[in-house]
Amino acid sequence: MIYRLKISQVEQTCLFELSWEQGRQLTAQLPFPGRLTERYATWQHLYRCYYQFGLEDESGVESQSGLRGRTVRSGQVVTPPPDWQGQLVQAEAMLLADFQDWLRQGPLFEICRELSMTTRAVAMSDQGPRDLLISCTSMALERLPWETWEITQAEKKSRAGAVAVCPWRISRLPVTVPEGVARAKQIRGKASVLVVLGDATGLDFQSELKAIDTLKRLADVHLLGWTPGANPQRLKQTICDTLQASPGWDMLLFFGHSNEANTVGGKIAIAPNTTLSMRELTPYLQQAKERGLQFALFNSCQGLDIAQTLIGLGLSQVAIMREPIHNRVAQSFLIEFLRCLAQFEDVHTALQSASWHLQTNNALSFPSAYLVPSLFRHRAGVLFRLHPVGWRAGAKAGLKSCLPHGWPAPRLRTSLLCLLTLLSLVVPSDSAVARRMMARRLWSQAMYRQLTGNLASGKAATRPPVLLVQIDQDSIRKGIPSGRPNPMDRAYLASIVDRLSALEVRVIAIDYWLDRPQIENDVRFSQSLQQAADKGIWLIFGAVLESGSEVGIREDLASLDWVMQGYTNTPRWYLRALATRRTCYIHCPFTYLVALTQLTLQTPLATAITPTETRSTTLRTALLETIQIETIQTAPQSEALNTLYTRRLSPLASLSRWWHQRWLHPILDFSLPPVQVFDRLSADHLLSADLLQLKAQFDWSEQVVIVAAGDYGEAGTDFHKDYSALPPAIAYWHWQYANGSKVFTGGEASAYAVHHFVQDHWVVPLPTILMVVIGAISGRAIAYGLRRSPLSSRQQWLSISGLSAAYGLISLHLYITVPILLPWLVPTFTVWLYYIPPLPSRLARFG
């Protein structure tokens, strides 16, 4: 909604007429104080004296020129007072004080109350500033600084705090304007900008030309101006022809000298002693308007007549300087103005920002300069702004085309929130999309660990707790005569067990399924296992969980009375912990059982049970009963063992599995480098290397040894390969440590799981649905605070971007210290949903 305030002066009385919507109107009468005229005349005189005599140039010398208007001197020049600036600042304060006092008088109460009510309604609806167009019937009223009117308390606080955002944006409108207005041309690609450089006598356009260069990525800029020796009359015709040239211009910029001339609508100096009046330009400006010219800026002196003329021709917006303006002030103004345009702000916001820049950043150098710029606009005109070009513009246009006309932003936000909530409930945690997002999150965490030096888990030992013996391509080629590793040669496994027995290993975990007979080698393998068990070595085998039962090692190979088995078909990339109230007596995860055995052997319980003793139960049952009796029911002898034995998934994690979710389910932390998790040894090297050298190379008695498949193609079954593509985090660590492997094996995943159990490295990801809820609450709170803050639109965007980045850093650090995994993309997107509205108007900004 746009309000129009018409102010008419009849002798010493002013009539205020406020109109809005369809025929709604308020009127008031105020006497015009003669003292205000005197205040303005005094300020105007001191302003012109300061910028003519008192402003020092950049070298510190008082400037005797530089005004972008012709100064007429006659008679004897009176020596200026020593402190033009001090007198100007005082005159400005007195002018503004009397001006505000005049507008606070009682007869204007109803008008101010209506505008204040609109301000509160705007604040509650999260809309931007409102537009007030002021029309003045006399030049004396026109010259007053209406842009400084403190209509509400919000404007007063805003101006006192030097904030470039006010509830009301005041622009100007000629009293009599035609109905027609420059149509808002659809800008496709770069905008077209015509820059006319006028007479440069006493001026310098270098700063402006540099500022213009910043627009060239968004606009096609055409420069036109006088050069020494050129024919002024020919230049006139060139300017006129270029102005009306097809396909037209979107924006016109003029730099140079100009002046008021009521009879010809104002005039501009295009060359020394050569001017061009608006009356002469009228037919060409009309043609330019028909071809899409929407905005003109005259960065020159005394442009009131120029603005009145151009708006009268139907141009949408014209920015001018009401008083003479110094060359350096004009340069500073234009640089800030164009900077805002390049950030896709509209011309009114850009003019406001440039004026505030003069008031706050250049108040000492350029006093009162912020009072001079004004924007004249047509009531029906759409404020001009530049638009992004390239892929960004295409993306915005595509998004806009997907939305129905007038689609309300709150409804869209609600729809997107419902969609996020639904997806977080129905998309399984182990789906391809979820795994990919988790993998990328761990990849960023790995880089953060590398950057901060947190490369080990919180309870890292001197050596990794796992030694992974991999049967790789070289091992198969050199050690298996048949060359067929599937099924794995039992004699080769027997030789590995024998070698490990000689190295005095305490726990051997074999990550192979041995559920099928291999007659020629089974006896040899069974003997090796029996000999290892007789030495007190704990043997643990992989099994498959089918219909609630474990299918594992054949009874003719080994008995579960002196070996153990655990199932290995667990969810990919998750730590297979025990669910609530579940124990390992019936079936037990392979990696959990390996870690539990390893921690048990590090306590005095190691002497309470041995693999080969006679018992009426299986070895696994005896182990669990021993831990239960000796550790839980009495005084715990090992904190680590007690923690692992009593560790269970939360009830929510257990329940979520029924609808294919893994909420609060611990993950394999691939952000830890493999060298911190396990030592790696080729089976061929194990069998061929010198025994003494091997004993010195690893801590065999303290590390659990996992024998598993390497990177050969036949590993696993036809339906379930025992390797996969490298997770991004593992690929990052391979690149860091020059590991050339292209796949990630099941044995490596088991090593990670055993490490996490032994070290109690329990990383729990928070559910996506929970983060959507938190993001929605946070987004609403952040958007509410930012929209009521005194920050500019750009500062608000920077603030919310900074908060998003800060949340990312916090989530990366909490992962290491707590540790929990906080998703970044989904909650951040949810927060941004509350800052995007009103979406249609923001999309309109980008075309």
Side-chain angles (χ1 to χ4, degrees), residues 263-316:
T263 56
V264 293
K267 58 186 180 181
I268 58 176
I270 60 172
N273 303 315
T274 304
T275 61
L276 191 59
S277 69
M278 293 300 107
R279 176 175 294 179
E280 294 174 286
L281 284 173
T282 293
Y284 307 101
L285 286 169
Q286 287 178 331
Q287 187 66 28
K289 182 203 75 170
E290 292 300 323
R291 287 177 173 164
L293 181 62
Q294 301 177 58
F295 171 71
L297 166 66
F298 287 81
N299 201 22
S300 55
C301 294
Q302 297 177 285
L304 283 174
D305 287 340
I306 296 174
Q308 297 272 4
T309 301
L310 295 183
I311 297 297
L313 291 174
L315 204 63
S316 186

Side-chain angles (χ1 to χ4, degrees), residues 39-82:
R39 297 291 194 202
Y40 185 85
T42 301
W43 172 84
Q44 185 185 56
H45 169 72
L46 292 171
Y47 172 85
R48 298 188 179 193
C49 286
Y50 172 77
Y51 285 102
Q52 185 175 352
F53 303 114
L55 179 61
E56 296 180 348
D57 62 22
E58 295 179 357
S59 63
V61 180
E62 288 189 355
S63 174
Q64 298 297 321
S65 62
L67 289 178
R68 295 197 170 185
R70 301 306 186 187
T71 303
V72 179
R73 302 183 186 180
S74 60
Q76 185 177 1
V77 178
V78 179
T79 303

Side-chain angles (χ1 to χ4, degrees), residues 427-447:
V427 175
S429 299
D430 55 356
S431 65
V433 174
R435 287 202 305 267
R436 188 169 300 170
M437 293 179 65
M438 178 76 74
R440 289 296 172 185
R441 175 66 176 82
L442 292 177
W443 170 71
S444 63
Q445 192 68 48
M447 290 192 294

Side-chain angles (χ1 to χ4, degrees), residues 263-491:
T263 56
V264 293
K267 58 186 180 181
I268 58 176
I270 60 172
N273 303 315
T274 304
T275 61
L276 191 59
S277 69
M278 293 300 107
R279 176 175 294 179
E280 294 174 286
L281 284 173
T282 293
Y284 307 101
L285 286 169
Q286 287 178 331
Q287 187 66 28
K289 182 203 75 170
E290 292 300 323
R291 287 177 173 164
L293 181 62
Q294 301 177 58
F295 171 71
L297 166 66
F298 287 81
N299 201 22
S300 55
C301 294
Q302 297 177 285
L304 283 174
D305 287 340
I306 296 174
Q308 297 272 4
T309 301
L310 295 183
I311 297 297
L313 291 174
L315 204 63
S316 186
Q317 301 115 42
V318 180
I320 54 93
M321 306 297 170
R322 302 190 316 277
E323 295 288 344
I325 185 164
H326 194 275
N327 184 65
R328 288 169 55 197
V329 177
Q331 292 172 346
S332 180
F333 172 86
L334 185 75
I335 291 172
E336 180 65 19
F337 180 84
L338 294 182
R339 186 190 67 80
C340 290
L341 276 189
Q343 295 177 350
F344 314 117
E345 300 287 357
D346 61 63
V347 291
H348 199 164
T349 302
L351 184 138
Q352 269 191 321
S353 179
S355 299
W356 281 100
H357 176 73
L358 292 175
Q359 182 183 5
T360 56
N361 297 341
N362 300 108
L364 296 179
S365 301
F366 308 141
S368 286
Y370 75 97
L371 299 176
V372 174
S374 289
L375 178 71
F376 283 73
R377 58 175 292 194
H378 198 285
R379 187 171 189 173
V382 178
L383 288 173
F384 176 78
R385 70 173 79 244
L386 294 175
H387 301 274
V389 295
W391 68 268
R392 182 181 180 186
K396 294 292 183 181
L399 178 59
K400 183 178 180 180
S401 64
C402 294
L403 296 175
H405 177 70
W407 184 269
R411 187 182 303 170
L412 174 62
R413 180 179 62 230
T414 302
S415 301
L416 290 175
L417 284 175
C418 291
L419 179 61
L420 278 177
T421 303
L422 180 63
L423 290 176
S424 63
L425 286 172
V426 302
V427 175
S429 299
D430 55 356
S431 65
V433 174
R435 287 202 305 267
R436 188 169 300 170
M437 293 179 65
M438 178 76 74
R440 289 296 172 185
R441 175 66 176 82
L442 292 177
W443 170 71
S444 63
Q445 192 68 48
M447 290 192 294
Y448 182 79
R449 282 189 183 274
Q450 178 81 358
L451 182 64
T452 58
N454 292 296
L455 299 180
S457 60
K459 298 180 180 179
T462 55
R463 291 196 67 89
V466 179
L467 172 59
L468 181 61
V469 175
Q470 290 186 303
I471 303 176
D472 53 17
Q473 294 282 8
D474 288 338
S475 303
I476 295 170
R477 186 175 63 253
K478 297 177 182 179
I480 301 179
S482 65
R484 294 192 302 270
N486 194 0
M488 178 52 62
D489 190 301
R490 305 283 168 81

